[in-house]
Amino acid sequence: MKQYSDRLDTLLTQIGRNPNSHENFVNPPIQRGSTILFDNAEDLYTNSKKSYGLEGSSTQDLLSEALDMLMGSIGTVLCPSGLSAITTTLLALLKSGDHLLLSDSVYGPTRRFATEFLKGLGIESEFYDPRIGGNIEHLFKPNTKLIMLESPGSLTLEIQDIPAIVAQAEARNIITAIDDTWSAGIYMQPLKMGVDISIQALTKYQGGHSDVLLGSISTNCNEILSKLRKAYLNLGLGVAAEEAWLCLRGMKTMKLRMDHCDFKAREIAQFLMGHKEIVEIIHPALETSPDYEIFRRDFTGAGALFSIILDPKYKADDVNRMLNAMDLFGKGFSWGGYESLVIPCTKQLNRKFGDWERKGQLVRFSIGLEDIEDLKENIIKGLESLSA
Ligand SMILES: *Cc1c(COP(=O)(O)O)cnc(C)c1O
């Protein structure tokens, strides 16, 4: 039996490969395929092994196993994108007549899926204030089936009191699922905190190079796992071996990249504090953050993201001018890659709580691997263009 370390840096070098079974090369091969051959005709319908390419090859299996090692799950279902991991989870576990609670800070397309698609299936969605904590029990109905958490939300970065929410959910047999893309299972361990399902957009830090689309659903509950596997099969989902392989490769360096981006993002956020054009810096690891205490209790790091709110006198056009002046930052969606990105996000905020419409324009940064002085200079250049 291979011995695995319980220390993350070492563990990440050990998981997702098994040299003895791949010609003793360090990394596994990319096994593509649709048809799987059987020795005899009789075996086609009786064999208990895999029968078709949608079930994935050894390459995808190594990724699922690696994620299980990292998340502490008994099983992981891979999905073709982070969004499909979220929608597959909800479709697998909800039925017509059920009530779903979602954090008001969830990823925009998750919100759209709930309010458009699930509504059409007769599933009721209700959004809760991300800072609700144990008071979530007041929103429970007899038909509340699942709570979809995301902490912090990837634009506004509010942190949720996960243990308090889980305690209430467990008392009422309500399933909890979290979109944990922000911590990537590196800076927080949701399953160990009692959450039933941990979802990753592997597209972000695991992929790490803006060239992979992939998602995963990990759980330590057998009954949930078999429902997830059934939904995956019924929906006809599949994951390409190349994507899984790139993700395995990215996972080797993900903690190194995340720690590096974390250090720089905190330093840049500190550096911008008190800047005359900025009314608020949103970064949960700053001591001034309203979420700092929970952050310190539940997380070991923070990664690449932080947001700022500009002086309310600036409008959307001003923000575009600022971002266009920041030529070092890519203007594009997603995050967790090697290149720094920036987006204006007020346009995609669609919130029930927090009074976001009345605040200034919200801008989110994803800090990459560039030199920190270059990044600071470029942000200052953008901010100066506001009043130019
Ligand atoms: C990007 C992202 C997703 C979706 O991942 P895709 O692979 O792009 O579909 C889901 N949740 C969060 C928080 C994300 O940032």
Side-chain angles (χ1 to χ4, degrees):
M1 256 308 258
K2 193 163 161 180
Q3 288 293 312
Y4 290 96
S5 171
D6 52 13
R7 299 191 177 100
L8 262 183
D9 291 283
T10 307
L11 182 67
L12 284 165
T13 68
Q14 297 175 313
I15 57 179
R17 63 204 188 92
N18 188 7
N20 292 341
S21 68
H22 39 81
E23 301 177 64
N24 294 319
F25 282 105
V26 170
N27 292 313
I30 302 173
Q31 178 59 60
R32 301 174 54 90
S34 57
T35 300
I36 298 172
L37 298 174
F38 289 80
D39 291 341
N40 305 296
E42 291 81 0
D43 293 344
L44 280 164
Y45 294 100
T46 55
N47 209 303
S48 57
K49 64 175 194 170
K50 285 184 190 179
S51 61
Y52 194 58
L54 285 178
E55 291 165 70
S57 69
S58 56
T59 315
Q60 290 93 326
D61 287 351
L62 280 169
L63 176 56
S64 303
E65 288 160 25
L67 289 164
D68 284 337
M69 295 295 301
L70 198 57
M71 309 289 165
S73 46
I74 55 164
T76 290
V77 174
L78 299 177
C79 288
S81 65
L83 181 57
S84 68
I86 295 162
T87 60
T88 301
T89 302
L90 297 175
L91 288 171
L93 300 168
L94 297 170
K95 60 176 188 328
S96 176
D98 286 343
H99 177 237
L100 164 69
L101 286 167
L102 303 101
S103 167
D104 193 37
S105 59
V106 285
Y107 179 61
T110 303
R111 188 180 200 105
R112 183 187 63 209
F113 181 74
T115 53
E116 291 182 12
F117 199 92
L118 292 181
K119 183 168 184 239
L121 298 179
I123 295 159
E124 184 200 351
S125 295
E126 181 174 349
F127 294 90
Y128 66 86
D129 182 338
R131 295 201 176 101
I132 198 169
N135 284 325
I136 197 161
E137 67 166 321
H138 302 303
L139 301 179
F140 291 169
K141 299 182 181 185
N143 59 339
T144 304
K145 189 69 171 287
L146 193 144
I147 305 173
M148 184 74 212
L149 302 101
E150 185 178 322
S151 179
S154 62
L155 300 177
T156 48
L157 304 171
E158 302 96 330
I159 298 226
Q160 297 182 40
D161 190 341
I162 295 173
I165 293 175
V166 164
Q168 295 298 341
E170 277 177 353
R172 295 280 292 271
N173 267 325
I174 296 168
I175 299 169
T176 46
I178 187 167
D179 179 340
D180 178 45
T181 303
W182 190 85
S183 104
I186 294 289
Y187 293 146
M188 179 176 60
Q189 299 270 297
L191 298 182
K192 289 179 188 147
M193 294 168 82
V195 180
D196 298 308
I197 300 164
S198 176
I199 298 172
Q200 292 293 329
L202 303 170
T203 305
K204 306 289 162 57
Y205 290 121
Q206 289 86 351
H209 298 74
S210 307
D211 51 11
V212 176
L213 286 162
L214 210 60
S216 63
I217 320 166
S218 302
T219 180
N220 46 24
C221 168
N222 268 311
E223 195 187 329
I224 291 174
L225 183 62
S226 64
K227 284 183 178 170
L228 291 170
R229 289 197 166 134
K230 218 173 192 173
Y232 174 90
L233 189 75
N234 280 325
L235 290 167
L237 299 176
V239 161
E242 280 85 353
E243 302 293 278
W245 188 90
L246 280 169
C247 188
L248 281 168
R249 161 178 275 220
M251 283 173 69
K252 296 290 171 247
T253 57
M254 71 185 286
K255 184 163 185 297
L256 189 67
R257 288 183 279 107
M258 288 176 76
D259 288 347
H260 186 76
C261 295
D262 183 7
F263 172 78
K264 284 201 292 197
R266 287 187 209 214
E267 181 147 330
I268 295 171
Q270 289 279 6
F271 166 75
L272 293 175
M273 280 241 233
H275 191 282
K276 68 180 173 49
E277 312 290 13
I278 300 172
V279 292
E280 191 178 336
I281 296 191
I282 310 177
H283 191 313
L286 294 183
E287 282 180 36
T288 49
S289 163
D291 296 317
Y292 181 65
E293 286 308 318
I294 300 185
F295 169 79
R296 257 184 36 154
R297 186 191 67 190
D298 294 347
F299 294 84
T300 57
L305 296 186
F306 73 95
S307 298
I308 59 172
I309 300 176
L310 292 173
D311 186 315
K313 73 183 175 200
Y314 295 116
K315 304 294 169 221
D317 287 349
D318 301 314
V319 177
N320 290 342
R321 191 169 72 250
M322 168 184 156
L323 269 50
N324 289 335
M326 292 168 46
D327 48 356
L328 200 56
F329 283 76
K331 266 66 78 180
F333 295 107
S334 199
W335 43 279
Y338 57 82
E339 178 191 38
S340 291
L341 299 175
V342 65
I343 49 167
C345 7
T346 298
K347 218 185 161 90
Q348 54 164 308
L349 285 184
N350 172 12
R351 297 287 298 265
K352 187 169 157 192
F353 300 98
D355 211 10
W356 288 92
E357 290 92 75
R358 298 211 11 238
K359 295 185 181 172
Q361 296 284 316
L362 182 71
V363 175
R364 188 196 66 192
F365 296 90
S366 171
I367 298 302
L369 304 181
E370 301 89 346
D371 185 276
I372 190 163
E373 296 308 321
D374 283 338
L375 293 171
K376 285 181 185 169
E377 283 168 23
N378 215 241
I379 296 172
I380 293 299
K381 188 173 154 201
L383 287 167
E384 282 173 353
S385 78
L386 282 171
S387 54

